[in-house]
Amino acid sequence: MIRIWLAGLVRRRAGRLGVAAAGVAVAVALLASLGAFLASSQASMTARAVRDVTVDWQVQVQPGADPAAVLDTVRAAAGTTQAVPVGFGQADGLTATTGATTQNTGAAVVLGLPYSYRATFPGELRTLAGTDQGVLVAQQTAANLGVAPGGTITVNLRGGAATSLRVDGVVDLPAANSLFQTVGAPPGSQPNAPPDNVVLLPEARWQDLFAPLASGAAAADGVHTQIHAARSHALPADPASAFVAESGQARNLEAQTAGAAVVGDNLGAALDAARSDAAYAQVLFVFLGLPGAVLAGLLTVAVAAAGADRRRREQALARTRGVTTTQVLWLAALEAGLVGLLGAAGGLAAAALVGWSAFGAVRFGATPVAAVGWTAGAALVGLLVAAAAILAPAYRDVRSATVAASRRTAPDARSRDRSPWWARYGIDVLLLAGGGLIVWSTTGTGYQLVLAPEGVPTISVSYWAFAGPALLWVGAGLLIRCLVETTLRRRRLVGRVVGPVAGRLASTAAAMMARGRRPLARSVVLLGLALAFAVSTATFNATYAAQAEADAQLTNGADVTVTQSPGVRVGPEAAPPLAAVPGVRAVEPLQHRFAYIGKDLQDLYGVRPDTITGVTALQDSYFQGGSARSLMATLTTAPDSILVSAETVKDYQLLPGDVVNLRLQDSTTKQLVTVPFHYAGIVTEFPTAPKDSFFVANASYVAAKTGNNAVGAFLVDTGGGDVTTVAAQIQARLGASATVTDIAHTRSRVGSSLTAVDLAGLTAVELGFALVLAAAAGGLVLFLGLAERRRTFAITTALGATRRQMRGLVTAEAAVLTVGGLVAGASVGWLLSQVLVAVLTGVFDPPPASATVPWAYLGIAVAVTLGGLGIATVGALRPGRRAPVALLREL
Amino acid sequence: MHRGQDADLDLVICDGASRTFLRGTVRVPAVRPTSCTVVPGMRVALTGPSGSGKSTLLHLLAGLETPTAGTVSWPGLGGPPQGRPGVVGLVFQGPSLVPALDVVENVTLPLLLAGADAVDAVSWAHEALDRLDIGGLARKLPEEISGGQAQRVAIARVLASAPRLILADEPTGQLDHATGERVLTVLLETADELDAALVVTTHDEQVARRLALRWRMADGVLATEEIS
Ligand SMILES: Nc1ncnc2c1ncn2[C@@H]1O[C@H](COP(=O)(O)OP(=O)(O)OP(=O)(O)O)[C@@H](O)[C@H]1O
Ligand SMILES: [Mg+2]
């Protein structure tokens, strides 16, 4: 019997089965694609974290231990590819005489590097001038001493001995922070800044200077050896597992050496940071993807529900012919299983295709276990959706329906005029209020969504924060339904609204909609939520992209940034030649100095406040105490104004207008002169500036007070043109006198922060699904709703309605759905966008000033929805090939 | 009431009209080539075994089916009745009420389609319902009334729009004898008042006898009876 029934099902209801299976497939595909996104983003986060580590391990040999033994142990440790010893020594100061003047520095660090060091750890040193090997001096040290390659410096060792050295090169230490970390110290007690003065010597020269000291009492004074190791980067793809594996190795080494070595695990630290980013990616998935999958499920249920009347009649018929209720349920279960399996298979295939085209790999999870989990989970969701769509209503019918009741097609007479229970108790409003409250409390208190305490293997994600948006989704859906039903019940109003399309039949149309308000309201909810999904996802994605761009601009300064090499001194007059390079729209000089405030040395940026915004975007969120525009205006009108960091304001108890005295180097005397400024506001971020404290002041005021208009960097705006070509042309023109960086390069390198994760794949997948959902919610639901109404239309046609009148009736309903759906979608979408951006503010550093609205995409989404609605309307109106009486016989 | 139609012309003329259905690949000749004429004031009982083609013939007369061969014309009605609500009134054999509309709304629907004023339409509808003793059902939904009641609502719907040709497909099929008699009386009275022609299909001899003429159908072939 089952075979006969199945065959009949496939033959007669192939369309409906197919549509339900397609709905299931969309839900499954969305989930599995998100799994693929997670897999690829986590793998890329691991790769990125690993790539940015210059030295994987800095193993500090403890006082009294044998460096050679530790070196052997490190080399023998599993996963070590290279290991070399590095000597760390302290000097009381450095001295250099240039011309008539002699410069002295404070304490300096002297490193001893083996010859192979630069080849093994290419990221650690960057030669700015002179040769790659020999006696190397750090850039700032060279600037402080006024020496260049060929010059001579004197190293004043502890205990009085002094050695003169000929400088071979000047280098930059890009990873100075981790190079000079205090190995073994907790993250909180690391030094704030690397040492100001650094000299790097070949291993043998260093041994000559420090070997006598290393064994003596001076050992405690900081003469020690570190083993720098490069580790294998074949790590688990998921940052959390990679971290656990990697930090386990480090602890294992410490245990093996029995206290002779402490591992400074830079690789582990980087993975540690990537771990929380990975957790954020997961959070993003839940926030962005889950509503879409739920929507696809609801859509499937709605599609199945549109055929419910017919199925109910069939079941009633089957039961009058002696089929038992158990058998009816079995048949429904079979149908659900068929739809679920077909849908799951189709969805997984679609996701594989999507993953392959968007992420370049077909993997649904970062690890094999996760992949199996995602695949099984997505398929299970498909089966559950099918069960909810087909089995659940069948079960409900069997329980409640008698054969006689099955001829009822409209809502039960008794419940006809009553609102659903949740509306009567105001549950929808309560949910919205609760959601709002949670969002407010989670965002208002600088609340952390993802907590990954450094060094601790567990990550805690605050799932509580999900409750806010989740309640908002549900509450909004229920409220829309309630509002639509209430409105549709007011027939006179609806009649007047649809009057223009329905003409004399307006009251008939209103009556039809009032009686059929349940399914119509459900359609409006589905369309509204699908559009809200599209709006909120697209807005979030656009905001995210805009912020990633702002981040890259902040780091790079502008589209292209020209940084002068040390010792090269040019003034603002070098700007016009740069502006003449093809593709350059504008050039803005940016001074970079060091200024003392009390004993602190901070970066100072001198800007031309009236033109700086022409080349780089200054966001209001970079400043406090005024907007970007108003603070730049202050710098223009009161040139001695200064913007300082919040920390400085706190340390020096500054109030607006207070005098801030900075000491800056005078260009002629080379002495520090005191320059008075007036505190005007707080700056937290500035293009090219470091993350910690710095100053922003008016460039002409700084130049006048120090007799020096030297420019540190030129910010170049290409007006959106090809930055790489422009950068190459400028570099060719300037040669070694400057470093040219472009934003395209920076964009791909900005830290390991989540903004660096390429959301492009996820964005494409999500936006695509959002379009599919919106079109389906609009078109399919309307079409099936109208198809349900075929009997009504056949009768109306048989009674003599003209085509225009039929068009009026159908269009009235389509119009109500369209207007309701668009209004609901726009308002809920707007609300959810704000919430998403607010709740996920932690992703952004600095947070975005406002949400970016992707109008073009939203236009497409609306067009696709209207297209779907239009096709459904036209399809429903298409003149049947059969006479209405023939239809009447069947329906 | 009657718009621009000549009262003396024949209402419907079937000239060798036939209707054949395709069921899969099998051709089912529901109505074989038939010629007949319905003139104003005619009272016809159309009888015949089940499946003999009675309903199909009524649909041809109403212009709801197109003849496979031959022609059907409506000289007395000013042309084909499709898209002209209220010109021909057909009481369907099966359920034919719009489920989402209540009884009054169902009855007013063809009036509104014909462009009548909404207030007038409602009062005519009530009048028709009262004549059929179902005025009390005015605000009920089709699902809330019995099959026989629904059939009477369908009759009221035809009467309210005052057509010149009333075609009733087994209007008494679901009614008890007394009610059936009453409904037929209403149909005949209304046809008299409107000066309309009335064609009723029925299996009931007593019903058939109350109509002046008898047309018999058997296997798609119509045997008409001339006015005596
Ligand atoms: N739309 C259709 N498609 C296919 N066959 C049809 C269709 N309409 C009617 N028929 C067939 O045409 C024949 C005549 O049907 P019709 O409904 O006219 O009979 P009837 O005389 O009205 O019967 P009853 O007294 O049972 O109402 C029947 O065999 C029927 O199956
Ligand atoms: Mg019949």
Side-chain angles (χ1 to χ4, degrees):
Chain A
M1 175 187 117
I2 282 177
R3 194 159 342 120
I4 297 170
W5 180 85
L6 258 187
L9 189 71
V10 170
R11 206 174 42 242
R12 278 177 300 119
R13 297 184 38 206
R16 246 169 233 285
L17 279 183
V19 171
V24 171
V26 170
V28 171
L30 185 53
L31 284 176
S33 304
L34 288 164
F37 159 72
L38 273 185
S40 91
S41 69
Q42 299 205 337
S44 77
M45 273 184 257
T46 305
R48 190 181 293 270
V50 165
R51 190 187 63 197
D52 288 348
V53 177
T54 41
V55 175
D56 295 335
W57 277 3
Q58 290 175 232
V59 183
Q60 180 133 336
V61 181
Q62 296 302 294
D66 176 16
V70 174
L71 179 61
D72 287 343
T73 319
V74 173
R75 281 190 172 142
T80 300
T81 53
Q82 301 259 14
V84 294
V86 175
F88 280 71
Q90 293 279 348
D92 282 341
L94 305 172
T95 313
T97 306
T98 46
T101 56
T102 300
Q103 285 80 242
N104 286 303
T105 71
V109 175
V110 183
L111 296 186
L113 304 177
Y115 188 81
S116 65
Y117 192 83
R118 295 201 67 158
T120 315
F121 305 108
E124 195 76 271
L125 304 179
R126 195 157 65 90
T127 302
L128 299 174
T131 60
D132 284 350
Q133 298 285 350
V135 176
L136 307 174
V137 180
Q139 176 198 340
Q140 200 186 336
T141 312
N144 291 346
L145 292 172
V147 293
T152 305
I153 59 168
T154 306
V155 179
N156 308 310
L157 294 177
R158 300 254 157 114
T163 310
S164 284
L165 299 166
R166 211 184 88 93
V167 175
D168 295 307
V170 176
V171 292
D172 177 31
L173 301 169
N177 274 326
S178 72
L179 178 61
F180 296 106
Q181 69 184 286
T182 307
V183 170
S189 63
Q190 289 290 344
N192 284 333
D196 288 342
N197 298 299
V198 180
V199 178
L200 305 103
L201 303 179
E203 192 176 14
R205 308 265 310 253
W206 186 87
Q207 286 292 346
D208 290 345
L209 293 182
F210 289 96
L213 300 173
S215 51
D221 270 350
V223 179
H224 59 258
T225 302
Q226 283 187 2
I227 311 300
H228 284 194
R231 306 265 310 155
S232 159
H233 289 173
L235 291 163
D238 150 45
S241 325
F243 170 73
V244 171
E246 171 55 31
S247 56
Q249 293 277 357
R251 272 195 305 279
N252 187 17
L253 182 89
E254 287 174 352
Q256 260 182 43
T257 57
V262 176
V263 180
D265 187 2
N266 297 336
L267 184 57
L271 290 171
D272 198 359
R275 231 164 28 118
S276 65
D277 292 340
Y280 252 126
Q282 227 140 340
V283 168
L284 274 181
F285 141 70
V286 177
F287 268 107
L288 297 178
L290 213 53
V294 171
L295 261 175
L298 287 179
L299 209 54
T300 311
V301 173
V303 165
D309 281 340
R310 177 191 277 231
R311 199 202 48 238
R312 225 170 279 155
R313 277 198 298 271
E314 281 178 8
Q315 277 172 9
L317 199 65
R319 283 167 62 194
T320 56
R321 294 196 183 138
V323 180
T324 65
T325 52
T326 324
Q327 280 171 318
V328 166
L329 282 182
W330 266 113
L331 293 179
L334 211 64
E335 185 180 341
L338 191 70
V339 166
L341 285 179
L342 278 178
L348 288 175
L353 207 67
V354 165
W356 177 70
S357 65
F359 314 119
V362 182
R363 266 203 315 192
F364 297 143
T367 59
V369 175
V372 170
W374 274 104
T375 313
L380 185 70
V381 167
L383 286 174
L384 286 179
V385 168
I390 294 163
L391 190 53
Y395 179 72
R396 244 198 336 263
D397 289 348
V398 162
R399 271 194 27 175
S400 69
T402 59
V403 172
S406 67
R407 76 159 208 232
R408 291 234 162 104
T409 50
D412 198 319
R414 266 169 298 114
S415 71
R416 198 151 33 99
D417 285 325
R418 280 178 68 186
S419 328
W421 63 270
W422 44 263
R424 268 177 281 134
Y425 296 108
I427 300 293
D428 43 357
V429 177
L430 282 181
L431 286 176
L432 278 177
L437 214 63
I438 294 176
V439 169
W440 174 74
S441 73
T442 48
T443 55
T445 54
Y447 178 87
Q448 285 265 294
L449 208 51
V450 172
L451 272 181
E454 270 183 79
V456 180
T458 55
I459 299 180
S460 61
V461 173
S462 166
Y463 289 100
W464 174 237
F466 297 117
L471 289 184
L472 288 182
W473 272 110
V474 178
L478 293 182
L479 184 66
I480 296 170
R481 199 175 140 181
C482 184
L483 287 178
V484 172
E485 287 196 10
T486 313
T487 312
L488 286 179
R489 224 187 285 186
R490 306 189 50 186
R491 287 196 222 170
R492 191 124 349 120
L493 176 80
V494 176
R496 218 166 313 137
V497 171
V498 300
V501 280
R504 273 183 192 274
L505 293 180
S507 64
T508 309
M512 286 181 181
M513 283 190 265
R515 299 263 158 61
R517 61 180 177 271
R518 284 276 156 83
L520 187 53
R522 205 175 44 202
S523 306
V524 172
V525 169
L526 279 175
L527 178 57
L529 293 188
L531 283 173
F533 175 64
V535 170
S536 60
T537 310
T539 304
F540 178 81
N541 283 328
T543 307
Y544 191 97
Q547 207 53 30
E549 187 63 21
D551 233 27
Q553 273 232 345
L554 204 51
T555 308
N556 195 55
D559 291 345
V560 174
T561 300
V562 179
T563 310
Q564 304 306 319
S565 298
V568 177
R569 208 180 125 172
V570 295
E573 68 282 353
L578 287 179
V581 172
V584 173
R585 201 179 61 80
V587 178
E588 185 69 19
L590 183 66
Q591 279 178 356
H592 181 216
R593 306 288 165 82
F594 292 97
Y596 280 99
I597 176 166
K599 275 190 198 153
D600 282 353
L601 186 65
Q602 293 186 14
D603 296 78
L604 181 142
Y605 295 91
V607 302
R608 298 201 305 206
D610 45 345
T611 52
I612 173 111
T613 49
V615 295
T616 185
L618 297 183
Q619 299 195 352
D620 287 341
S621 59
Y622 299 174
F623 304 96
Q624 290 165 31
S627 65
R629 180 196 288 256
S630 73
L631 289 175
M632 287 302 123
T634 308
L635 286 188
T636 313
T637 50
D640 65 343
S641 299
I642 193 163
L643 307 179
V644 307
S645 70
E647 217 179 330
T648 308
V649 171
K650 205 168 105 231
D651 289 352
Y652 295 88
Q653 299 285 309
L654 294 177
L655 292 172
D658 280 0
V659 174
V660 179
N661 282 318
L662 299 185
R663 277 168 301 133
L664 287 152
Q665 199 180 44
D666 186 279
S667 75
T668 40
T669 63
K670 298 278 183 229
Q671 295 302 309
L672 292 174
V673 293
T674 300
V675 182
F677 289 92
H678 286 96
Y679 162 56
I682 293 178
V683 58
T684 49
E685 311 270 354
F686 205 77
T688 73
K691 286 269 175 210
D692 51 359
S693 300
F694 59 91
F695 303 108
V696 173
N698 186 316
S700 17
Y701 180 72
V702 174
K705 289 291 174 181
T706 58
N708 177 1
N709 65 358
V711 169
F714 290 95
L715 304 182
V716 178
D717 181 32
T718 62
D722 179 5
V723 289
T724 319
T725 320
V726 171
Q729 280 175 357
I730 295 178
Q731 184 76 75
R733 217 167 265 221
L734 298 180
S737 69
T739 315
V740 182
T741 53
D742 67 74
I743 195 164
H745 181 70
T746 308
R747 210 182 279 138
S748 68
R749 286 206 56 104
V750 183
S752 74
S753 88
L754 189 62
T755 16
V757 172
D758 191 7
L759 272 189
L762 177 68
T763 308
V765 168
E766 292 232 330
L767 296 187
F769 274 108
L771 285 186
V772 169
L773 285 178
L780 200 58
V781 172
L782 177 65
F783 182 76
L784 291 172
L786 292 176
E788 280 292 278
R789 215 64 65 70
R790 260 192 321 184
R791 182 181 169 73
T792 296
F793 295 144
I795 295 170
T796 317
T797 310
L799 290 179
T802 59
R803 286 191 54 67
R804 245 190 71 208
Q805 287 170 325
M806 293 310 297
R807 200 157 50 223
L809 278 183
V810 172
T811 316
E813 188 154 339
V816 166
L817 176 57
T818 309
V819 172
L822 286 182
V823 169
S827 39
V828 178
W830 175 84
L831 179 75
L832 283 165
S833 308
Q834 303 300 318
V835 169
L836 268 183
V837 172
V839 171
L840 295 174
T841 291
V843 175
F844 304 119
D845 181 27
S850 64
T852 309
V853 184
W855 292 112
Y857 173 81
L858 294 186
I860 293 174
V862 169
V864 165
T865 310
L866 291 182
L869 287 165
I871 291 172
T873 310
V874 172
L877 278 171
R878 198 190 41 192
R881 268 181 299 117
R882 287 173 311 174
V885 273
L887 272 175
L888 266 183
R889 285 174 70 99
E890 293 167 18
L891 296 168
Chain B
M1 205 59 226
H2 302 145
R3 286 136 285 189
Q5 296 136 7
D6 196 320
D8 296 331
L9 289 176
D10 294 339
L11 295 178
V12 194
I13 302 171
C14 289
D15 186 5
S18 67
R19 183 72 176 100
T20 305
F21 293 106
L22 267 183
R23 201 183 285 138
T25 51
V26 186
R27 296 161 59 85
V28 182
V31 174
R32 296 178 196 276
T34 297
S35 296
C36 62
T37 305
V38 180
V39 300
M42 213 174 185
R43 304 283 179 269
V44 181
L46 180 58
T47 57
S50 181
S52 57
K54 303 183 296 292
S55 296
T56 309
L57 181 62
L58 280 199
H59 295 159
L60 283 171
L61 295 176
L64 288 173
E65 290 273 18
T66 354
T68 323
T71 57
V72 182
S73 59
W74 296 267
L77 297 176
Q82 308 105 293
R84 294 163 59 210
V87 172
V88 173
L90 174 65
V91 180
F92 293 91
Q93 184 175 5
S96 64
L97 300 185
V98 175
L101 296 180
D102 67 21
V103 165
V104 185
E105 286 162 349
N106 262 292
V107 175
T108 54
L109 185 54
L111 296 167
L112 294 175
L113 288 173
D117 176 75
V119 179
D120 292 346
V122 170
S123 78
W124 294 337
H126 278 293
E127 207 177 298
L129 287 169
D130 287 340
R131 286 186 82 159
L132 287 158
D133 302 328
I134 44 172
L137 301 179
R139 284 291 154 199
K140 297 271 189 203
L141 284 179
E143 65 180 69
E144 297 167 321
I145 61 179
S146 74
Q149 287 169 332
Q151 189 72 335
R152 276 186 281 165
V153 174
I155 296 168
R157 182 168 65 186
V158 167
L159 300 188
S161 54
R164 290 204 58 206
L165 173 58
I166 302 174
L167 306 168
D169 201 348
E170 300 197 23
T172 59
Q174 298 191 53
L175 302 177
D176 63 84
H177 192 75
T179 316
E181 289 282 314
R182 167 110 191 83
V183 164
L184 194 65
T185 308
V186 173
L187 272 173
L188 285 164
E189 281 171 11
T190 314
D192 287 344
E193 283 164 29
L194 295 172
D195 190 20
L198 175 65
V199 181
V200 177
T201 70
T202 184
H203 292 289
D204 186 338
E205 262 315 305
Q206 292 193 27
V207 169
R209 249 181 264 131
R210 292 186 62 183
L211 291 131
L213 292 179
R214 173 73 66 100
W215 289 358
R216 286 174 213 279
M217 269 202 105
D219 199 17
V221 179
L222 176 70
T224 59
E225 192 180 81
E226 290 313 314
I227 306 167
S228 45

